[in-house]
């Protein structure tokens, strides 16, 4: 099965990214696939709450999977396995329109992972738990958390890309 | 099917849909995420629509779901009990954001990207587990 053209529309031409800056600031914008993918994530979060009474927060599910034992661990590992299989199914059906990033510093990726693991454990959520589910429940904690990680995320990219000039 | 088996099946189904959504929206591509966070560069607003699409669906649907006395396969809704905006929430979220901006992965896309047999994703997920361990070992409140 080939994907609908709309899902590939506007697929970024990554190699020209920096050259095309003057041409258009939003050349990489992919609104249709973003909305469709986002809606699927919303449906997933709804299913998990409606059926199991659980918040679809990936970091919370992961931290729990690493700590809990028995029934409370099994569903978590299954959700994470589904996450990988679901993404894999799409990459298999529709080979991605982007080249996988290669050559980016692996020690930096490891540091990034450790900071994300620590920070989401302390902050009690990530983009899905706070960003999607929390905002949908109009939780003040989640709205504040989302603003906080958006601001430091933007600052962090500014430092990495523009101050240190690392191509990420 | 027992309730435990039904819960496991629904968790798997929810995970599949979630992963599909992350792949279709290209959030498994760290450059796409970094281009969103890079407001001083070649800004890509796609992530706003991913979040907006997800929140749009969930905000509407949660209203109906949370009117129920209990979920279908469980005795209660497992919602966060604390409502306090505290230092722990702010510091943790800030640290998460710094890591997000360095790597371009948050937990969902990082784990989903394992499906592309990406070495980067493997390293990122190892870091995630390490960070989770560090928090539990040294920073989690003792009770």
């Amino acid at each position: 099965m080939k994907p609908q053209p709309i899902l590939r529309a506007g697929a970024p031409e990554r190699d020209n990214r920096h050259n095309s800056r003057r041409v258009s600031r939003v050349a990489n914008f992919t609104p249709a696939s973003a909305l469709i993918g986002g809606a699927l994530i919303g449906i997933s979060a709804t299913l998990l709450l409606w059926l199991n009474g659980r918040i679809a927060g990936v970091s919370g599910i992961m931290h729990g999977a690493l700590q809990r034992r028995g029934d409370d661990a099994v569903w978590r590992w299954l959700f994470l396995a589904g996450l990988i299989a679901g993404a894999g199914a799409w990459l298999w059906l529709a080979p991605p329109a982007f080249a996988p990033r290669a050559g980016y510093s692996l020690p930096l990726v490891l540091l990034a992972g450790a900071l994300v693991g620590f920070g989401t454990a302390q902050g009690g959520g990530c983009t899905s738990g706070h960003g999607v589910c929390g905002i949908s429940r109009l939780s003040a904690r989640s709205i504040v958390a989302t603003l906080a990680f958006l601001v430091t995320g933007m600052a962090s990219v500014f430092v990495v890309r523009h101050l240190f000039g690392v191509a990420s | 099917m027992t309730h435990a088996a039904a819960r496991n099946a629904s968790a798997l189904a929810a995970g599949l849909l979630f992963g599909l959504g992350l792949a279709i929206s290209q959030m498994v591509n760290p450059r796409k995420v970094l281009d969103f966070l890079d407001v001083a560069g070649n800004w890509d607003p796609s992530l706003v629509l991913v979040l907006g699409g997800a929140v749009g669906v969930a905000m509407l649907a949660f209203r109906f779901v949370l009117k129920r006395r209990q979920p279908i396969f469980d005795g209660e809704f497992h919602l966060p009990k604390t409502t306090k905006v505290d230092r722990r929430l702010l510091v943790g979220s800030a640290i998460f954001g710094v890591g997000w901006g360095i790597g371009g992965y948050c937990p969902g896309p990082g784990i989903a990207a394992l499906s592309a047999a990406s070495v980067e994703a493997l390293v990122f997920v190892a870091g995630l587990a390490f960070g989770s361990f560090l928090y539990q070992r040294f920073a989690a409140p003792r009770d």
Side-chain angles (χ1 to χ4, degrees):
Chain A
M1 189 188 104
K2 285 290 159 205
Q4 298 298 311
I6 192 171
L7 297 179
R8 305 287 289 272
E13 288 160 9
R14 306 305 322 195
D15 293 337
N16 297 327
R17 185 155 55 114
H18 292 291
N19 301 335
S20 64
R21 183 172 297 178
R22 271 169 293 127
V23 178
S24 168
R25 277 179 57 82
V26 289
N28 306 324
F29 189 33
T30 51
S33 59
L35 271 175
I36 293 168
L40 284 173
I41 292 169
I43 293 169
S44 161
T46 301
L47 274 181
L48 200 63
L49 189 66
W50 177 52
L51 298 173
N52 291 8
R54 296 283 175 175
I55 293 291
V58 177
S59 65
I61 291 174
M62 179 202 72
H63 295 305
L66 293 173
Q67 289 156 33
R68 311 285 172 80
R69 293 293 175 262
D71 275 357
D72 195 28
V74 175
W75 73 267
R76 296 168 185 274
W77 285 109
L78 284 168
F79 179 90
L80 297 175
L83 197 63
I84 299 171
W90 183 255
L91 298 182
W92 179 65
L93 284 172
F98 60 90
R101 185 169 65 178
Y104 186 55
S105 158
L106 289 181
L108 275 185
V109 173
L110 187 68
L111 172 68
L115 290 171
V116 171
F118 188 98
T120 55
Q122 181 171 26
C126 60
T127 340
S128 49
H130 281 314
V132 175
C133 298
I135 290 181
S136 295
R137 297 192 303 120
L138 295 175
S139 148
R141 263 174 70 81
S142 291
I143 292 167
V144 169
T146 304
L147 288 175
F149 62 67
L150 279 175
V151 167
T152 56
M154 286 172 177
S156 168
V157 167
F158 185 79
V159 169
V160 171
R161 278 192 172 176
H162 299 290
L163 294 188
F164 290 128
V166 177
S168 58
Chain B
M1 193 151 76
T2 65
H3 268 195
R7 278 199 296 272
N8 289 341
S10 13
L12 179 64
L16 282 167
L17 270 179
F18 204 112
L20 193 63
L22 287 175
I24 288 178
S25 59
Q26 300 182 49
M27 292 298 107
V28 288
N29 175 6
R31 279 182 305 213
K32 188 110 180 122
V33 173
L34 291 174
D35 282 354
F36 161 74
L37 292 174
D38 190 3
V39 283
N42 194 15
W43 192 53
D44 177 352
S46 303
L47 194 145
V48 177
L49 291 189
V50 180
L51 199 58
V55 168
V57 169
M59 194 179 277
L60 191 71
F62 280 16
R63 286 170 56 102
F64 294 99
V65 168
L66 291 174
K67 272 188 193 142
R68 299 177 53 90
R69 202 173 310 131
Q70 60 183 67
I72 305 284
F73 299 130
D74 203 320
E76 56 176 331
F77 287 105
H78 303 267
L79 299 176
K81 287 171 188 71
T82 171
T83 55
K84 212 171 44 175
V85 175
D86 55 8
R87 215 175 80 100
R88 177 172 292 279
L89 175 84
L90 279 171
V91 172
S93 298
I95 293 173
F96 158 44
V98 171
W100 192 28
I102 293 175
Y105 294 108
C106 47
I111 293 170
L114 289 174
S115 63
S118 147
V119 177
E120 245 192 33
L122 205 62
V123 172
F124 176 80
V125 172
L128 267 186
F130 182 60
S132 180
F133 165 79
L134 281 183
Y135 177 78
Q136 289 307 326
R137 182 76 181 72
F138 298 109
R142 306 273 170 235
D143 42 26

